[in-house]
Amino acid sequence: FRSPYEFIDEPGMVKLRTVAGDKTPVEISAQILARLRQLAEDSVQDEIVGAVITVPAYFDDAQRQATKDAAQLAGLKVLRLLNEPTAAAIAYGLDNASEGIYAVYDLGGGTFDVALIKIKDGEMKVLDHEGDNFLGGADFDNMIVEKLVIPKICEKFNFSNLEDDMKSASGKLNAKYYVLLRRAEEAKITLSSKTSAEIVVDGFEDEDGNEVDMEIVITRSELNELIRPNIDGTIEMIKQILTRNSLKPIDLQFTLMVGGSTYIPYVRSRVEEVLQIPANCELDPTTAVAI
């Protein structure tokens, strides 16, 4: 398949060309929110007029306003924009927990946030936060394809520039790249419970006309080594906010792990190893924020 979206570069405006015509990112988001509203109304058999919407803590003012604009287009009154780490802390019940300082480590599909939460006299306060709006599980999928899968294909078959053929919007193998991304994600998920996973590569030919049909084995250790710089970067952000607040890791009760990418065993173990404090994984990482 081909991606239904195509970026259009126009002065003062970014648009996405879709099968339904030109749409701004706000309009695309509004369509998603409108669909969610419809599903909610069907579920409760009543009209939904307002919503609390969670956003990455590191969203800037423009991104927050764009979120509000999308909700308004969807016919929703925004009761509050709630930072995702704060939402996860509420879900865990930190507002009822014993006094102390906690870190919420939120690594999702596309963004990373970390927040310091302080509980004192029954009140929960966000002391500080850091993050990266462009780091998450989708980036790990890309890295698996680009750093592990494509080189292994090129070891066996003849391609002059396979990565460009796959990643370029006009590349002849563009559709295969998205297929490999999906299979890389499936392999990444498998590696959370097993030490190796297979990625099937098929359905196209190399430049000599040879049919590409192979199974590539990816090991957990390969994935760990691949994402290690990114995970260490997130830990550095934790250290930054600790330093800014004159705190040390030992001052934290634990690190609450949320976001689908924290299912990766290495993410949990690395955070514990470097910070030398427990990684709390009691919440379902994929539903904590919504709860």
Side-chain angles (χ1 to χ4, degrees):
F1 73 102
R2 294 297 301 274
S3 170
Y5 306 120
E6 176 188 355
F7 281 101
I8 303 166
D9 188 10
E10 295 179 358
M13 174 64 73
V14 175
K15 289 187 176 183
L16 296 171
R17 176 166 289 140
T18 72
V19 291
D22 291 355
K23 300 287 184 182
T24 66
V26 168
E27 290 169 334
I28 296 291
S29 297
Q31 290 181 335
I32 295 170
L33 289 172
R35 176 59 176 155
L36 292 174
R37 177 187 179 185
Q38 179 188 355
L39 291 170
E41 289 178 338
D42 292 345
S43 175
V44 300
Q45 295 295 300
D46 203 353
E47 183 182 11
I48 302 292
V49 296
V52 174
I53 301 179
T54 60
V55 294
Y58 217 54
F59 258 22
D60 59 28
D61 289 342
Q63 290 166 313
R64 291 173 189 271
Q65 186 58 52
T67 303
K68 292 179 180 179
D69 293 343
Q72 186 176 11
L73 277 176
L76 286 169
K77 178 183 178 182
V78 179
L79 304 176
R80 183 175 177 183
L81 290 183
L82 186 63
N83 286 342
E84 289 169 2
T86 307
I90 294 170
Y92 180 75
L94 290 185
D95 49 341
N96 297 316
S98 58
E99 293 191 353
I101 302 174
Y102 309 79
V104 179
Y105 181 103
D106 183 358
L107 184 60
T111 61
F112 168 74
D113 283 314
V114 61
L116 286 182
I117 308 288
K118 184 176 183 179
I119 310 293
K120 187 175 182 181
D121 298 328
E123 293 186 359
M124 184 175 74
K125 180 182 179 181
V126 180
L127 296 179
D128 204 348
H129 63 81
E130 242 338 310
D132 186 341
N133 287 340
F134 303 98
L135 175 65
D139 299 286
F140 302 156
D141 301 339
N142 276 283
M143 291 161 62
I144 290 171
V145 174
E146 294 168 16
K147 304 296 184 182
L148 298 178
V149 174
I150 288 179
K152 291 183 180 182
I153 295 173
C154 292
E155 286 177 6
K156 190 172 180 181
F157 296 93
N158 181 29
F159 291 97
S160 55
N161 201 332
L162 180 57
E163 186 171 336
D164 276 357
D165 287 342
M166 286 190 162
K167 292 180 63 178
S168 171
S170 57
K172 60 183 180 180
L173 296 176
N174 178 263
K176 291 299 175 186
Y177 184 70
Y178 290 98
V179 171
L180 288 180
L181 281 178
R182 187 181 71 249
R183 292 176 182 175
E185 181 186 22
E186 292 169 352
K188 178 188 67 180
I189 293 170
T190 298
L191 290 173
S192 289
S193 58
K194 298 182 179 180
T195 57
S196 65
E198 291 183 350
I199 296 177
V200 175
V201 181
D202 59 7
F204 61 102
E205 296 180 347
D206 71 0
E207 294 175 6
D208 295 333
N210 298 312
E211 183 178 351
V212 177
D213 188 357
M214 61 188 298
E215 292 181 355
I216 294 176
V217 176
I218 305 295
T219 66
R220 181 184 287 184
S221 60
E222 284 180 306
L223 175 64
N224 293 350
E225 192 62 30
L226 194 64
I227 66 175
R228 178 171 180 160
N230 299 97
I231 304 309
D232 284 355
T234 65
I235 296 171
E236 284 303 312
M237 292 183 204
I238 299 176
K239 292 180 178 178
Q240 287 172 21
I241 58 176
L242 288 173
T243 300
R244 284 204 299 261
N245 291 274
S246 301
L247 296 168
K248 297 178 180 178
I250 198 172
D251 296 319
L252 301 178
Q253 302 293 326
F254 56 75
T255 305
L256 181 63
M257 308 295 283
V258 297
S261 294
T262 61
Y263 273 118
I264 300 173
Y266 178 75
V267 173
R268 300 178 177 189
S269 62
R270 185 65 176 162
V271 171
E272 276 194 329
E273 175 190 351
V274 176
L275 296 181
Q276 291 294 295
I277 57 172
N280 187 316
C281 306
E282 292 181 23
L283 281 178
D284 181 344
T286 56
T287 60
V289 170
I291 290 171

